[in-house]
Amino acid sequence: MRQLTVTIPDDFYETFVSFFKHVPDVSIDENITNEIPLWQQQMVLERLKNAKPEDFVSWEDFEKEMDKKWL
């Protein structure tokens, strides 16, 4: 027997699963423990879309700030 990991669009999920449920000896293991909820993905995308260049900090500046705060 072989294992296969597949990434599919959310709107195709039900069709995909219903098809494979009818195949003998197939087990479907839904690993959703590490999924980021759709509402949270949309929130992050919205924040990125609305962000201004002055809102961003370079990695080097961030490191300096963290060193000042924690070292």
Side-chain angles (χ1 to χ4, degrees), residues 53-66:
E54 59 268 15
D55 294 336
F56 293 96
V57 177
S58 73
W59 178 254
E60 291 78 17
D61 290 343
F62 172 76
E63 274 188 314
K64 288 175 189 173
E65 285 298 312
M66 290 297 106

Side-chain angles (χ1 to χ4, degrees), residues 7-39:
T7 303
I8 58 173
D10 290 338
D11 57 339
F12 189 66
Y13 175 78
E14 292 299 326
T15 305
F16 184 83
V17 170
S18 65
F19 174 77
F20 280 99
K21 281 185 178 178
H22 300 291
V23 178
D25 298 325
V26 168
S27 70
I28 298 172
D29 180 23
E30 299 181 59
N31 184 3
I32 59 171
T33 56
N34 293 327
E35 277 189 21
I36 299 172
L38 186 57
W39 66 267

Side-chain angles (χ1 to χ4, degrees), residues 36-51 56:
I36 299 172
L38 186 57
W39 66 267
Q40 195 169 20
Q41 293 175 34
Q42 291 169 338
M43 181 187 295
V44 169
L45 291 175
E46 187 68 25
R47 287 179 180 179
L48 285 171
K49 185 176 87 175
N50 294 330
F56 293 96

